[in-house]
């Protein structure tokens, strides 16, 4: 656990000399645990960045330096301590480590207005494979491009990010409207896909969380959806906008909560009403359960027949959550090659599928089989050639580097899904900056040719235990 930057440098130099692999952990939220577990068979040590967590906000410069071990919640809190009209557009979940989160893109409820976390990074400090500390000027624009979206653990250890702050109004509005299948959910989601996901006023972000529910006033099982939103403006402005564009949701003044931006972070993060913003300094995840997740990007609305089939699949499962995350706005104006994160113009929304369970090995097999079957069912309705996926929702089902060695052609299987045409540029940059493939894990970017390493078989980790599961408004 490094206490200052020189400890990270020493860890890199020693590990390289001793031939030991490094895993880097900031917030520990990696979906496949590659920050603290290995299937590759090499002996490894973990650099735990959690003691390097200072956040320095410079309102006059409109920027902040956040060390890798700080959480998203801490960054937001420190910004709000200094200004009510500044914010930062990254994850909705407030316990994510800035170190790992920003490396993969970092989306949140202001992405339609300001893009991703990576679109708002202005500098970085990183320890390279030789133990040298580089910043944007000394690493050059190629490496600076690569670390903003390639996912963590491929190019070096991020010490800190310098981010650009964005303006937020003093008053924002949030709401959560719940609808079940028998309340017309299928038609509503058809409309949401057509007019409300990527086409709304970009001050408005309405995501949909789909989960098991009961028919109102009965115990009959059904599917329910939470329309969970942030509007960068007042309730009256929001109501006017919704009346023109998405009246079918039936939003009323009673559904709207006006608050400061930092209070909206707590609300959207899923904390119970009335929770103090100080919770953001606790750096604790909100839920604790086992899960397996997958992702997709949707470019054509799913027709009603497809939705009906989807409900049947969902009704087979005990415990799941599916999150539809709207795109458009700034997300469609940033060119695909600006950062390694390529899922931009033409994306209507992103789907995250999550199978959850509480009893470890007991339900692991059936839950994994269910989510893999659901993923197969969805194939006709989502992006193709490649079927895109979000690297921050790491999914080892898409393929992985094996036994300490990497192969560019094998890595293309998941590389094209995560990065599309940016994959080849990432491989070139990796080959230049880390030709020995010192920084590697199951889905790291491979160099063009990789040293042939002999390894022992490691143990398998496919699902994780995090904090207490919070139904309804998880991240
Ligand atoms: C409950 C939950 C909610 C989430 N919500 C969102 C969301 O709203 N938006 C979103 O975009 N994503 C979200 N994610 C996904 C999240 O962005 C990724 O899991 C992210 O990688 C987490 O970063 P971390 O530092 O917490 O994880 P870690 O497990 O510490 O790291 C993740 C990856 O980055 C590498 N890494 C970590 N630190 C460093 C470093 N200092 N230098 C180099 N590499 C490093 C690791 O080796 C690993 O490969 C969520 C995940 C969870 C579990």
């Amino acid at each position: 656990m490094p206490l200052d930057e020189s400890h990270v440098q020493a860890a890199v130099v020693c590990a390289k000399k001793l031939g030991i692999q490094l895993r880097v952990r900031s917030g520990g939220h990696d979906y496949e645990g590659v920050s603290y577990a290995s299937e590759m068979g090499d002996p490894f040590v973990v650099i735990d960045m959690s003691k390097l967590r200072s956040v320095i906000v410079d309102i006059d410069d409109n920027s902040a330096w956040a060390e890798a071990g700080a959480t998203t919640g801490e960054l937001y809190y420190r910004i709000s301590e200094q200004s009510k009209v500044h914010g930062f557009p990254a994850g909705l979940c407030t316990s994510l480590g800035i170190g790992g989160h920003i490396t993969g893109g970092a989306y949140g409820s202001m992405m339609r207005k300001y893009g991703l976390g990576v679109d708002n990074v202005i500098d970085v400090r990183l320890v390279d494979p030789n133990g040298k500390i580089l910043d944007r000027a000394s690493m050059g624009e190629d490496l600076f491009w690569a670390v903003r979206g390639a996912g963590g653990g491929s190019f070096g250890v991020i010490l800190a990010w310098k981010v650009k702050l964005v303006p937020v109004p003093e008053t924002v509005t949030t709401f959560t409207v719940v609808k079940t299948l028998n309340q017309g959910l299928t038609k509503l989601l058809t409309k949401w896909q057509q007019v409300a996901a990527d086409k709304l006023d970009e001050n408005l972000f309405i995501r949909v969380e789909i989960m098991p529910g009961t028919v109102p006033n009965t115990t009959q099982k059904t599917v329910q959806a939470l329309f969970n939103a942030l509007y960068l403006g007042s309730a009256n402005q929001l109501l006017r906008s919704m009346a023109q564009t998405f009246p079918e949701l039936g939003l009323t003044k009673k559904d709207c909560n006006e608050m400061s931006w930092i209070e909206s972070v707590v609300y959207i993060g899923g904390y119970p009403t009335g929770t103090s913003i100080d919770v953001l300094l606790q750096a604790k995840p909100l839920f604790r359960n086992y899960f397996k997740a997958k992702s997709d990007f949707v470019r054509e609305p799913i027709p009603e027949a497809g939705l009906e089939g989807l409900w049947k699949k969902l009704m087979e499962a005990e415990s799941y959550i599916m999150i539809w995350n709207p795109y458009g706005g700034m997300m469609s104006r940033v060119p695909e090659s600006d950062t390694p994160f390529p899922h931009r113009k033409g994306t209507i929304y992103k789907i995250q599928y999550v199978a959850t369970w509480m009893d470890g090995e007991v339900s692991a097999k059936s839950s994994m089989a269910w989510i893999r079957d659901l993923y197969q069912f969805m194939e006709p309705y989502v992006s193709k050639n490649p079927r895109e996926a979000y690297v921050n929702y790491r999914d080892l089902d898409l393929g992985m580097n094996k036994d300490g060695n990497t192969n560019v052609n094998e890595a293309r299987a998941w590389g094209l899904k995560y990065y599309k045409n940016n994959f080849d540029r990432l491989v070139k940059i990796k080959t230049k900056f880390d030709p020995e493939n010192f920084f590697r894990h199951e889905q790291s970017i491979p160099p063009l040719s990789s040293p042939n390493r002999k390894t022992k078989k490691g143990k398998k980790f496919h699902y994780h235990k995090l904090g207490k599961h919070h139904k309804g408004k998880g991240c």
Side-chain angles (χ1 to χ4, degrees):
M1 208 181 272
L3 300 178
D4 69 47
E5 294 184 341
S6 68
H7 296 174
V8 180
Q9 291 178 282
V12 169
V13 171
C14 288
K16 201 168 177 186
K17 202 163 164 195
L18 298 170
I20 295 175
Q21 208 199 130
L22 279 187
R23 295 287 164 130
V24 190
R25 178 185 152 122
S26 288
H29 286 66
D30 190 282
Y31 274 25
E32 298 280 8
V34 309
S35 53
Y36 53 87
S38 170
E39 300 206 27
M40 293 175 76
D42 303 329
F44 67 94
V45 291
V46 176
I47 302 188
D48 179 341
M49 301 294 285
S50 57
K51 296 270 187 219
L52 291 179
R53 61 190 316 137
S54 80
V55 176
I56 298 168
V57 178
D58 183 344
I59 290 293
D60 294 336
D61 186 49
N62 217 26
S63 69
W65 271 105
E67 284 189 308
T71 60
T72 40
E74 285 168 317
L75 171 60
Y76 303 150
Y77 185 96
R78 297 298 174 208
I79 296 170
S80 79
E81 271 184 326
Q82 301 215 14
S83 163
K84 302 289 165 238
V85 290
H86 289 79
F88 184 66
L92 300 103
C93 174
T94 57
S95 57
L96 306 174
I98 285 293
H101 176 52
I102 293 188
T103 57
Y107 80 85
S109 50
M110 295 201 289
M111 63 186 274
R112 303 193 62 250
K113 176 90 172 177
Y114 297 118
L116 304 172
V118 286
D119 301 329
N120 294 280
V121 164
I122 43 188
D123 207 338
V124 66
R125 285 172 66 76
L126 160 149
V127 176
D128 79 358
N130 302 313
K132 261 181 77 180
I133 295 182
L134 304 177
D135 63 6
R136 179 177 184 167
S138 54
M139 74 177 61
E141 287 302 302
D142 262 351
L143 186 54
F144 183 63
W145 175 85
V147 293
R148 287 174 300 141
S154 286
F155 293 97
V157 183
I158 306 287
L159 296 170
W161 295 104
K162 183 178 186 185
V163 298
K164 184 177 79 193
L165 308 183
V166 300
V168 295
E170 267 186 58
T171 302
V172 304
T173 307
T174 58
F175 68 81
T176 305
V177 171
V178 185
K179 297 283 178 189
T180 57
L181 285 183
N182 61 313
Q183 292 171 324
L185 181 58
T186 309
K187 292 247 175 293
L188 202 53
L189 282 178
T190 301
K191 199 76 196 180
W192 179 86
Q193 294 181 91
Q194 288 163 351
V195 303
D198 58 325
K199 295 178 191 67
L200 286 183
D201 171 355
E202 56 193 58
N203 290 308
L204 180 53
F205 169 91
I206 310 179
R207 69 173 178 161
V208 187
E209 300 174 354
I210 300 171
M211 61 186 73
T214 47
V215 175
N217 307 319
T218 74
T219 52
Q220 197 189 324
K221 191 173 162 185
T222 188
V223 173
Q224 67 173 356
L226 277 61
F227 293 81
N228 179 226
L230 171 69
Y231 179 68
L232 296 170
S234 69
N236 284 339
Q237 288 166 319
L238 168 63
L239 286 164
R240 274 199 297 277
S241 173
M242 287 292 281
Q244 280 165 15
T245 50
F246 191 29
E248 294 80 1
L249 188 63
L251 187 74
T252 65
K253 184 120 194 194
K254 230 168 69 213
D255 299 316
C256 300
N257 319 295
E258 289 188 329
M259 55 185 73
S260 64
W261 173 75
I262 195 66
E263 287 165 342
S264 80
V265 165
V266 174
Y267 178 90
I268 297 278
Y271 294 94
T273 312
T275 305
S276 155
I277 60 168
D278 293 346
V279 76
L280 300 176
L281 297 179
Q282 289 176 7
K284 279 198 195 129
L286 248 180
F287 60 88
R288 178 176 283 278
N289 61 4
Y290 293 88
F291 72 89
K292 167 73 190 166
K294 295 179 148 318
S295 59
D296 262 320
F297 289 83
V298 178
R299 297 181 149 257
E300 296 288 334
I302 302 175
E304 280 194 23
L307 294 177
E308 298 293 351
L310 173 60
W311 309 146
K312 280 199 191 109
K313 291 273 168 208
L314 296 182
M315 292 290 270
E316 288 166 11
E318 284 304 314
S319 181
Y320 64 84
I321 181 162
M322 196 176 169
I323 302 178
W324 294 10
N325 209 89
Y327 270 55
M330 180 58 109
M331 289 303 291
S332 50
R333 290 196 293 277
V334 178
E336 285 193 6
S337 59
D338 253 28
T339 69
F341 180 101
H343 321 286
R344 305 280 187 169
K345 195 171 172 187
T347 300
I348 304 178
Y349 60 102
K350 171 175 58 76
I351 297 179
Q352 178 177 200
Y353 315 88
V354 191
T356 59
W357 65 99
M358 298 301 289
D359 50 6
E361 295 297 330
V362 180
S363 301
K365 219 169 144 192
S366 57
S367 302
M368 308 271 259
W370 175 79
I371 197 170
R372 286 174 181 147
D373 177 59
L374 176 65
Y375 186 70
Q376 207 174 350
F377 168 81
M378 291 299 286
E379 190 176 349
Y381 305 114
V382 297
S383 63
K384 293 172 186 58
N385 303 318
R387 184 172 180 179
E388 299 166 43
Y390 179 33
V391 65
N392 261 355
Y393 295 158
R394 192 184 302 292
D395 178 5
L396 295 185
D397 288 355
L398 304 179
M400 58 177 136
N401 297 312
K402 291 183 196 84
D403 296 344
N405 299 310
T406 56
N407 173 307
V408 173
N409 284 330
E410 282 173 19
R412 217 172 272 285
W414 68 88
L416 293 181
K417 289 173 186 294
Y418 290 153
Y419 317 110
K420 294 171 83 174
N421 291 334
N422 295 324
F423 177 68
D424 287 330
R425 183 170 173 200
L426 287 171
V427 170
K428 272 195 204 134
I429 296 170
K430 174 76 176 181
T431 309
K432 181 169 169 199
F433 287 95
D434 186 15
E436 291 173 38
N437 203 17
F438 173 67
F439 288 110
R440 63 186 183 280
H441 58 66
E442 286 74 2
Q443 283 187 340
S444 55
I445 305 291
L448 270 172
S449 68
S450 168
N452 202 19
R453 291 193 176 84
K454 289 205 170 36
T455 60
K456 295 181 209 120
K457 280 269 163 252
K459 57 176 176 173
K460 290 199 181 272
F461 281 75
H462 274 295
Y463 49 87
H464 313 288
K465 210 161 182 182
L466 287 176
K468 180 97 192 117
H469 180 51
H470 174 83
K471 282 211 163 68
K473 283 190 251 140
C475 303

